[in-house]
Each structure stands twice: as structure tokens, then as C-alpha cells.
């Protein structure tokens, strides 16, 4: 072979080798990434979570517990037990001690105790939205309805040895009871004649006399050395308290 033929053959071989190399560079590699691309950047990155306040979904905050609001500003209405529109103040002793009951938030009823005709149950209901405080017992007197000056009024004995306030808390929607026995001895002679009215002031420590309510006893009521108990949460406890009355009002 001549020198010229040898050079021609070598040039053709070089061209074929370069072509093969170029084709190999354009094909996918064994690691699945395109040529010149790192495998770690070839995979799709997950979408980042939206920032709060952005166009994505914002997590919803849990509502505050109703019992967390112990302050004022609640709406009116009757509540019972715990909670209610008064929040924690509806059943709070400390709130009651600082907030005496007003006549406007109370309803008062007097009934004859079943099986005890000489006894009257004084029921004082807190119809407000928050607890409030009452004195230890209602301010009570027995009188003739036609005697406006109170000169003939009879006042009951009450339990003695009481401390100062705070006295009796009554929760929102709850009732305080006090029991008076008009004639604890059951005597039919020596009774005060003409007594036919029971006068009740729910809280003698904070309410003016003008808020006194009058309840008829009916004709023939026998009154002799009456006894009045403290406010209690049940009629049975109020009866027990009345029986321990030993101090004259």
C-alpha cells in the first residue's frame, strides 16, 4: 500500500470513531439521568407547603373554651349549674361575695311547708346570669297588715355565733331557702293576736327597707316565739338551721 492510500484509510477510521463517540454522548446513561445532569437534581422536588396567609389552605385555629372567659360583658338570662352566659361567674363563690344580689335579679316566693302548717319556706331564686351574695338570712318580721308603722311587729329568733360577711352565695339559676316556724312550741294559747302578714327583705345587709315584700299568712295564723334559720341550698338543711335559732333579732 502506498503512503497516500495509508493516510486515506487512517482518516476514514478516525471519522468513524468520532461519529460513534458523538452518538454515545446523546444516549441516556445507565443511571437514568440525561447527560450532563446530576441524578440528584433530575427527580422532581415536592411542592413546598403554603405559608400562613398565602393562597394555600390555612389551618383553622381551635375555638377558645367558653369557661376561659371569666370577665364581665356577658349577656343576661337565667343559667344553671356551671357555664352559661355568665361564664365561670355563674357558679363562682368569690364573684358572689363581691357582688351582692340586687332585687331585680331575684324572685321570692313563700309557701307553707308540707306536713308542717306553722312553717313557711322562703325561696329566693337568682334569675340573673351570674352568682350573687345574700346575707346569712333574710330580714323577716311578722305583723298585722293594717299596722303600717311596724309597732306590733314580731321578730324571730335566728342562729347566733355568726361571723361577718361574706355570707351566702347563690349561683345563677339556683335557689336559696330559709324556713321560719311561726309557732315552734305548737301552743294554741298565749299567741300574738291579729298577726296575718310575713314581711321579707331578701338581704338586710345591702338592700333598703323599701325592697321589703309582704306575704299574707291567712287568717288564724298562730304566732309565738317564731324561729328563722339561715339560707341553705335545700329545704331540709334550712329546717335544721331554723331549729338551732337562739338569738333574738
Amino acid at each position: 500500500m502506498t503512503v497516500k492510500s495509508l493516510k486515506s484509510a487512517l482518516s476514514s477510521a478516525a471519522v468513524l470513531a468520532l461519529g460513534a463517540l458523538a452518538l454515545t454522548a446523546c444516549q441516556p446513561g445507565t443511571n437514568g439521568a440525561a447527560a450532563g445532569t446530576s441524578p440528584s437534581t433530575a427527580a422532581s422536588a415536592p411542592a413546598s407547603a403554603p405559608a400562613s396567609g398565602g393562597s394555600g389552605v390555612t389551618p383553622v385555629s381551635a375555638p377558645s373554651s367558653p369557661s376561659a372567659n371569666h370577665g364581665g360583658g356577658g349577656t343576661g338570662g337565667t343559667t344553671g349549674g356551671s357555664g352559661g352566659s355568665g361564664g365561670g361567674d355563674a357558679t363562682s363563690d368569690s364573684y358572689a361575695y363581691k357582688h351582692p344580689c340586687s332585687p331585680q335579679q331575684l324572685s321570692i316566693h313563700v309557701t307553707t311547708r308540707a306536713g308542717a302548717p306553722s312553717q313557711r319556706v322562703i325561696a329566693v331564686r337568682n334569675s340573673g346570669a351570674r352568682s350573687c351574695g345574700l346575707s346569712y338570712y333574710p330580714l323577716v318580721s311578722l305583723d298585722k297588715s293594717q299596722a303600717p308603722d311596724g309597732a306590733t311587729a314580731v321578730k324571730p329568733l335566728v342562729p347566733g355565733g355568726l361571723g361577718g360577711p361574706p355570707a351566702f352565695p347563690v349561683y345563677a339559676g339556683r335557689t336559696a331557702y330559709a324556713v321560719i316556724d311561726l309557732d315552734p312550741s305548737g301552743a294554741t294559747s298565749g299567741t300574738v293576736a291579729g298577726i296575718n302578714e310575713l314581711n321579707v327583705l331578701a338581704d338586710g345587709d345591702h338592700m333598703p327597707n323599701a325592697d321589703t315584700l309582704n306575704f299574707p299568712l291567712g287568717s288564724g295564723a298562730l304566732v309565738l316565739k317564731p324561729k328563722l334559720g339561715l339560707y341553705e341550698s335545700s329545704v331540709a338543711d334550712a329546717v335544721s338551721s331554723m331549729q338551732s335559732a337562739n338569738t333574738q333579732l
Side-chain angles (χ1 to χ4, degrees):
M1 181 181 291
T2 63
V3 174
K4 184 177 180 180
S5 299
L6 180 59
K7 289 181 178 181
S8 178
L10 290 172
S11 297
S12 297
V15 170
L16 290 173
L18 289 173
L21 180 61
L23 288 173
T24 302
C26 293
Q27 298 301 316
T30 57
N31 57 12
T37 304
S38 169
S40 62
T41 59
S44 298
S48 59
S52 177
S55 59
V57 177
T58 303
V60 178
S61 299
S64 300
S65 170
S67 62
N69 179 17
H70 297 301
T75 57
T78 300
T79 60
S82 60
S85 57
D89 295 339
T91 57
S92 169
D93 286 359
S94 60
Y95 185 90
Y97 293 147
K98 296 177 182 177
H99 297 81
C101 298
S102 67
Q104 293 74 24
Q105 74 187 104
L106 301 178
S107 60
I108 303 174
H109 299 279
V110 172
T111 57
T112 300
R113 181 171 170 248
S118 68
Q119 295 181 11
R120 301 294 185 273
V121 178
I122 302 168
V124 180
R125 179 178 175 81
N126 177 3
S127 55
R130 292 175 171 80
S131 61
C132 62
L134 293 168
S135 49
Y136 283 107
Y137 46 80
L139 188 59
V140 169
S141 65
L142 298 152
D143 205 354
K144 302 173 183 178
S145 58
Q146 65 273 22
D149 58 0
T152 59
V154 177
K155 295 183 179 180
L157 297 174
V158 296
L162 304 176
F168 189 83
V170 54
Y171 298 159
R174 300 294 182 88
T175 301
Y177 300 95
V179 170
I180 182 170
D181 194 331
L182 308 180
D183 184 11
S185 67
T188 56
S189 60
T191 58
V192 182
I195 299 295
N196 59 5
E197 188 173 74
L198 173 65
N199 305 314
V200 178
L201 182 61
D203 187 341
D205 292 339
H206 301 97
M207 295 179 184
N209 289 334
D211 291 319
T212 299
L213 300 179
N214 311 114
F215 299 90
L217 293 175
S219 60
L222 299 178
V223 176
L224 181 63
K225 297 181 180 179
K227 288 185 175 184
L228 171 70
L230 306 179
Y231 278 125
E232 300 288 354
S233 299
S234 70
V235 173
D237 288 343
V239 171
S240 296
S241 177
M242 174 270 295
Q243 292 169 344
S244 68
N246 57 6
T247 303
Q248 185 66 58
L249 270 177

